[in-house]
Structures are given as C-alpha cells and as structure tokens.
Amino acid sequence: MTSISEGQQLDMRNLISFRGKLKQEELPNLMLRMKSYADVQGANVVGGPISVTYGVEQTKDGVVADAEIMMPLDKEVSGTEEFVWKEQIFLANAIKLKYAGAPAMFQSACNEMNAYMREKKHVPITAGYIVTKGADQISGMVDMEVYVGVNPNVV
C-alpha cells in the first residue's frame, strides 16, 4: 500500500543522532550502539529509527553513504562525541509517502513520490526523512514513511 499526501508535518523530539559516512553493513552495529547508549543513560527508545541520506559515493572499499541516523527516546540524554542530542526535528510543509509492503518495492514507491513532486511542481528543500514505523519479522514486510520538506511558495 502506498499513499502520498501534501502539507504534512514531521515533529519528533528527544533524539540521539549519528551523522557520518557508513556502509550498509555497518548499520546494524550502529543501531545496537545507539540502543546500548540509550540503555546506559536510562532512556527507552520510543519509536523506529529515522534516517536521512545526504549523499552516496563509490570508494575503493565499496559504496559509502553520508547519512544521519536518529533514534527517538523517552527523555533527554547528554550527547557524546559519537551521538549528538537533538531536542527536536520539525518539517513544517512536507510531502509524505506512506508505504507498507515488501522492502524490495520501497525504492519504486520513492520513485513514485519523486514523480508526484515533479508533476505538482513541488521544489524539495530537504532530503528525505525515512521513518521506520515497523517491520514484520515473519512476513518481511515493512511499514515506513518518507517526509520531504518542500518550498511553500507558489511561483
């Protein structure tokens, strides 16, 4: 299932954030380190991770993404050299893609969102913020939302 809607908001609070270059295979370990840091701080994770990819490059060691991974917590914690504390992320005027289905078809849904924005002449002003809402371990299906902030001006 895919749906696209306009004029949406993404408002999340109490996040720890990692921003850096990483390979896809490094992501599970990073998520474990973030969860462990939250546990040590006495905080609970209260939602799925939010990811933003700012760029991708091919290196001699493979594909590396410049990405930010955020994890929402139930309370404020102090930042570290590796994890930055963010009180809030807020996108006020976003196009939102809701996707529920097979992970292999997620890129196709994102392409549909990009085509929608071109057709409606929306000008993106942020990268896509991918919010993981859930994943079914048995079926392998995912529930995700993508938010892209767009310029509210009409010209």
Side-chain angles (χ1 to χ4, degrees):
M1 180 201 86
T2 300
S3 68
I4 299 171
S5 51
E6 298 183 26
Q8 301 297 300
Q9 292 183 348
L10 173 62
D11 187 5
M12 303 199 75
R13 297 171 189 270
N14 298 334
L15 303 129
I16 54 172
S17 167
F18 168 87
R19 169 80 189 262
K21 294 187 176 189
L22 67 153
K23 297 180 192 174
Q24 182 71 31
E25 60 267 19
E26 295 172 323
L27 193 54
N29 184 271
L30 173 64
M31 299 299 290
L32 285 173
R33 289 196 321 271
M34 292 177 86
K35 171 81 171 83
S36 293
Y37 180 72
D39 290 344
V40 167
Q41 296 297 308
N44 296 304
V45 176
V46 293
I50 300 102
S51 62
V52 186
T53 301
Y54 299 103
V56 177
E57 62 184 90
Q58 180 68 45
T59 69
K60 63 180 167 80
D61 296 326
V63 177
V64 177
D66 175 9
E68 182 174 17
I69 309 297
M70 294 169 274
M71 190 173 284
L73 305 177
D74 63 351
K75 67 178 202 171
E76 182 176 341
V77 298
S78 58
T80 68
E81 190 173 311
E82 183 176 29
F83 304 127
V84 174
W85 167 253
K86 288 191 171 193
E87 183 177 339
Q88 179 181 26
I89 57 169
F90 182 73
L91 299 181
N93 185 46
I95 305 296
K96 175 181 165 183
L97 166 71
K98 287 185 69 144
Y99 176 78
M105 298 304 297
F106 180 65
Q107 184 60 54
S108 178
C110 290
N111 293 345
E112 185 180 324
M113 179 186 197
N114 288 333
Y116 176 90
M117 289 191 298
R118 278 191 306 276
E119 176 186 317
K120 300 288 186 176
K121 303 202 183 326
H122 291 296
V123 178
I125 57 174
T126 71
Y129 284 71
I130 302 171
V131 180
T132 303
K133 304 301 265 182
D136 186 314
Q137 298 299 325
I138 296 169
S139 69
M141 298 299 174
V142 295
D143 183 7
M144 303 172 84
E145 296 175 348
V146 180
Y147 294 81
V148 176
V150 295
N151 190 333
N153 298 315
V154 178
V155 293

